Amino acid sequence: MSYKPKVTVVGAGFVGATTAQRLIEKDIADVILIDVVEGLPQGKALDMMESAPIERFQASIKGTNQYEDTKGSDVVVITAGLARKPGMSRDDLLFKNAEIVGGVVTECVKYSPDAILLIVTNPLDVMTYLAWKKSGFPPHRVFGMAGALDSARMAYFIAEELECVPHEVDAMVLGGHGDEMVPVPAHTKVKGEPITKLLSPEKIEAINQRTRDGGAEIVKHLKTGSAFYAPSSSVVRMVNAIAEDSGEIIPSCVYLTGQYGIKDVYCGVPAQLGRKGVRAVAEISLTENEKAALRQSAEHVRENCAKLNL
Ligand code: TXD
């Protein structure tokens, strides 16, 4: 059988369980699903395994409440925490989720000192920074999922507008995962053609704004809870790049050391991912406005990180 990494998914809620399901159905990884709620991960994992004869996957999943079971994980995906309710910003979740993610990271690194930590819990950029600090890991092994999702949302909105196949659109959204995210139209392409040649500036701005509001649009519909189908697909895209050591460039929340004029903070930029984590940050050409917006977004992340006094 080909190489299958051991992936721990922490949090068996909407995003965690759907991520686990996609990982095993695509035979990407063997999964440990862990949660504080007794029975929840066990029940969901058993239910998923019982679909194996029909879905024909060979990967396995085990549900647990014990961190011992996560021992030797190659990748740990952290989705544990509270999700947004209508009217809440991602920043409102800061202190509660910091407590949860901090505790989870401490447990996980004890059993998987060589793992890659992939953070999903909001506020995403701050939680990724916190995980990096708490883990003591080198920054290339701690990064977060946000840009992959924001870019997928933007790609879908463009496909809808141009009536083309969604996967033919390759979108690029940078910056922190918040209202200050930075869609980059010149690097957003349909079969290689930038959308700046296909759509009017007004249409592009409307799509940019809908992308920024993409999470809130779903929260408004659902009323309780937030998005999880596209978020889990986005996590799986990143885990797959790691598992296959593909070197795919995916917008990710990574530690910056001067790229784009930004230093010592986590922020969303195009990152090349492989088995060891972040291989490199791709520095794409940006307009002056985009550069300024990216720096402003990074400063907002830095201010929120400071609130945690780490
Ligand atoms: O783009 C992105 N990064 C995101 C982030 C996209 C979508 C959702 N995003 C965030 O992920 C969202 O704002 C939340 O902070 C997390 C998880 O969202 P989800 O929708 O999955 O929330 P749920 O369904 O409430 O699941 C959270 C689970 C739940 O089962 C809790 O029991 C569990 O987390 N939980 C814990 N598990 C382990 N250990 C601890 N301490 C713990 N505390 C809660």
Side-chain angles (χ1 to χ4, degrees):
M1 207 192 289
S2 62
Y3 167 78
K4 267 204 193 76
K6 176 172 178 175
V7 174
T8 286
V9 178
V10 188
F14 286 103
V15 178
T18 316
T19 297
Q21 180 190 354
R22 293 194 195 282
L23 286 173
I24 57 167
E25 284 190 355
K26 292 183 171 200
D27 266 319
I28 294 172
D30 291 318
V31 173
I32 300 291
L33 183 63
I34 183 165
D35 200 285
V36 273
V37 179
E38 276 180 35
L40 181 73
Q42 291 87 342
K44 289 192 179 182
L46 179 58
D47 194 9
M48 285 183 217
M49 280 317 297
E50 289 167 359
S51 71
I54 303 166
E55 299 297 338
R56 303 172 74 94
F57 58 83
Q58 294 181 31
S60 68
I61 176 162
K62 180 182 173 174
T64 183
N65 308 113
Q66 310 296 331
Y67 278 93
E68 288 82 357
D69 292 322
T70 69
K71 192 165 188 266
S73 295
D74 299 293
V75 181
V76 175
V77 178
I78 300 181
T79 76
L82 307 180
R84 280 199 289 169
K85 303 212 167 54
M88 275 175 93
S89 78
R90 293 178 180 91
D91 290 352
D92 291 336
L93 300 172
L94 182 67
F95 292 103
K96 190 63 208 156
N97 283 351
E99 209 179 296
I100 294 173
V101 171
V104 165
V105 168
T106 305
E107 286 300 318
C108 289
V109 304
K110 229 188 273 174
Y111 294 99
S112 303
D114 300 318
I116 287 170
L117 303 182
L118 177 50
I119 313 305
V120 182
T121 306
N122 272 326
L124 189 272
D125 309 84
V126 188
M127 291 305 117
T128 309
Y129 171 80
L130 169 93
W132 170 59
K133 280 277 179 187
K134 287 270 175 194
S135 65
F137 284 5
H140 68 270
R141 281 204 281 126
V142 185
F143 45 98
M145 187 291 289
L149 170 63
D150 299 325
S151 304
R153 283 179 173 150
M154 186 178 182
Y156 172 68
F157 300 147
I158 291 162
E160 204 182 33
E161 184 62 39
L162 293 173
E163 296 182 6
C164 66
V165 179
H167 72 247
E168 287 176 350
V169 187
D170 198 4
M172 180 71 79
V173 181
L174 309 181
H177 185 52
D179 302 333
E180 293 177 337
M181 66 181 77
V182 186
V184 187
H187 288 275
T188 294
K189 297 175 181 168
V190 182
K191 288 203 262 184
E193 187 91 15
I195 59 161
T196 41
K197 292 196 177 156
L198 303 169
L199 291 166
S200 68
E202 296 73 29
K203 268 278 169 250
I204 291 174
E205 189 38 47
I207 286 172
N208 288 350
Q209 195 51 43
R210 191 171 175 201
T211 302
R212 288 186 201 102
D213 296 336
E217 187 177 351
I218 306 271
V219 171
K220 213 169 143 204
H221 281 301
L222 295 178
K223 295 183 187 70
T224 57
S226 54
F228 57 99
Y229 290 114
S232 57
S233 292
S234 308
V235 173
V236 170
R237 180 182 174 203
M238 295 175 76
V239 174
N240 193 49
I242 297 166
E244 292 198 338
D245 199 23
S246 71
E248 189 183 354
I249 293 176
I250 302 177
S252 310
C253 172
V254 307
Y255 190 71
L256 292 175
T257 54
Q259 300 91 339
Y260 299 97
I262 304 168
K263 224 174 139 173
D264 302 331
V265 69
Y266 271 88
C267 193
V269 292
Q272 193 183 35
L273 303 183
R275 178 104 12 116
K276 294 193 172 129
V278 177
R279 281 193 204 160
V281 168
E283 292 207 60
I284 58 171
S285 56
L286 298 176
T287 65
E288 285 309 313
N289 281 347
E290 287 163 351
K291 275 187 214 159
L294 186 59
R295 284 193 200 120
Q296 190 180 327
S297 180
E299 282 318 305
H300 184 80
V301 174
R302 197 191 303 279
E303 283 161 23
N304 275 336
C305 289
K307 288 182 195 159
L308 294 177
N309 281 323
L310 289 166

